[in-house]
Amino acid sequence: MIETPVIMVNYKTYSQSIGESGLELTKKIENAAEASWLVCPQPVDIRTIKEKTNIPVFSQHIDAVKPGSNTGHLLIDAMVDAGVEGTLINHSENRLKLSEIDEIVTMCKEKGLTTVICANNPATSAAAAALKPDFVAYEPPELIGGDISVSTAKPEVVREAVERVKAVDPDVKVLCGAGVKNGKDVKKALELGTEGVLLASGLVKSDDVEGVIRDLESSL
Ligand code: G3P
C-alpha cells in the first residue's frame, strides 16, 4: 500500500522523462526524496526503472482488456509483469467510459494493484469514489500544465472534492493535481484535506530537478 502523504509524478510523454532521461530523473528523485513518492513513466520504461531504482512505479493507464486478440492496448498482466504497483485511471488526457473505469478498478483489485481514478470536478470525484478505488485525484483540466496550482486557484473546489468523496466512501483517499510547482502548493493541498498531489511539468520540465524535489518535500 502506498504511504501517504504521497507525491505522484506523471511522466506523461515529455521528452525529459522517457528512456534514459526518465531513468535519470527517477534516480534523482530516489536520491533526493525522503517522503513517499512514486512515478508514472512511459509503459516501455517501466521494467527498466523498476529494476534500477527503488521508487514505486505506476502505469499512466491500463486498458479494459483481457489476454487474447487485442492490438495496441496495455494489458494489466503485462504491466504487473513489468513491475507496476498501481495505475492512474481516466486521466483527463486519456478519458474513459464509466464501464471501462469500473472494469479496470475490478481487474486491479484482483491483481492487488493500487488504483487512482482521475476526475475533473467534485461531482465526478464523488462518482469515482462509488467505484471504490484507493485514490481519487481531482485535477481541473484547465489548470494542467499551467503556472497556477489547483490548491491556490481553487481551494474551495479542492475542499469540496474531498468532502464529496468522503461522503461517498470515507476510505477513499483524495489527491489533487494541476499546476503544482512547489512545497507551498503541496502544503496547501494537504491543508485542504488531500493526502497528496499529482504533478508533471513542474518537476519533469524543471532545470533544477533536485531543487524542486527538495522544495516539494519541504511541505511534507
Ligand atoms: O497527472 C498530473 C498532471 O496531469 C498534472 O500536470 O503539468 O499541471 O503538473 P501538471
Side-chain angles (χ1 to χ4, degrees), residues 11 34 128 169 198 219:
Y11 286 8
E34 293 174 7
D169 187 337
L198 260 67
S219 62

Coordinates of all heavy atoms in Angstrom, one line a residue, residues 11 34 128 169 198 219:
Y11 N 5.0 11.1 -15.7 CA 6.0 11.5 -16.7 C 5.4 11.8 -18.0 O 6.0 12.3 -18.9 CB 7.0 10.3 -16.9 CG 8.0 10.1 -15.8 CD1 7.9 10.9 -14.6 CD2 9.0 9.2 -15.9 CE1 8.9 10.7 -13.6 CE2 10.0 9.0 -14.9 CZ 9.9 9.8 -13.7 OH 10.8 9.6 -12.7
E34 N 12.9 11.8 0.6 CA 12.8 11.1 1.9 C 11.4 10.8 2.2 O 11.1 9.8 3.0 CB 13.4 12.1 3.0 CG 14.9 12.3 2.8 CD 15.4 13.4 3.8 OE1 14.6 13.8 4.7 OE2 16.5 13.8 3.7
A128 N -16.6 8.8 -8.9 CA -15.4 7.9 -9.0 C -15.3 7.1 -7.7 O -15.0 6.0 -7.6 CB -14.1 8.7 -9.3
D169 N -17.5 7.5 0.3 CA -16.7 6.4 0.9 C -15.5 7.0 1.7 O -14.5 7.5 1.1 CB -16.2 5.5 -0.2 CG -15.5 4.2 0.4 OD1 -15.1 4.3 1.6 OD2 -15.5 3.2 -0.3
L198 N -0.7 15.0 -7.5 CA -0.1 14.5 -8.7 C 0.5 15.7 -9.4 O 0.0 16.8 -9.4 CB -1.2 14.0 -9.7 CG -1.5 12.5 -9.8 CD1 -2.0 12.0 -8.4 CD2 -2.5 12.2 -10.9
S219 N 7.3 20.5 2.3 CA 6.0 20.6 2.8 C 5.5 19.4 3.6 O 4.5 19.4 4.2 CB 5.0 20.8 1.7 OG 5.1 19.6 0.9

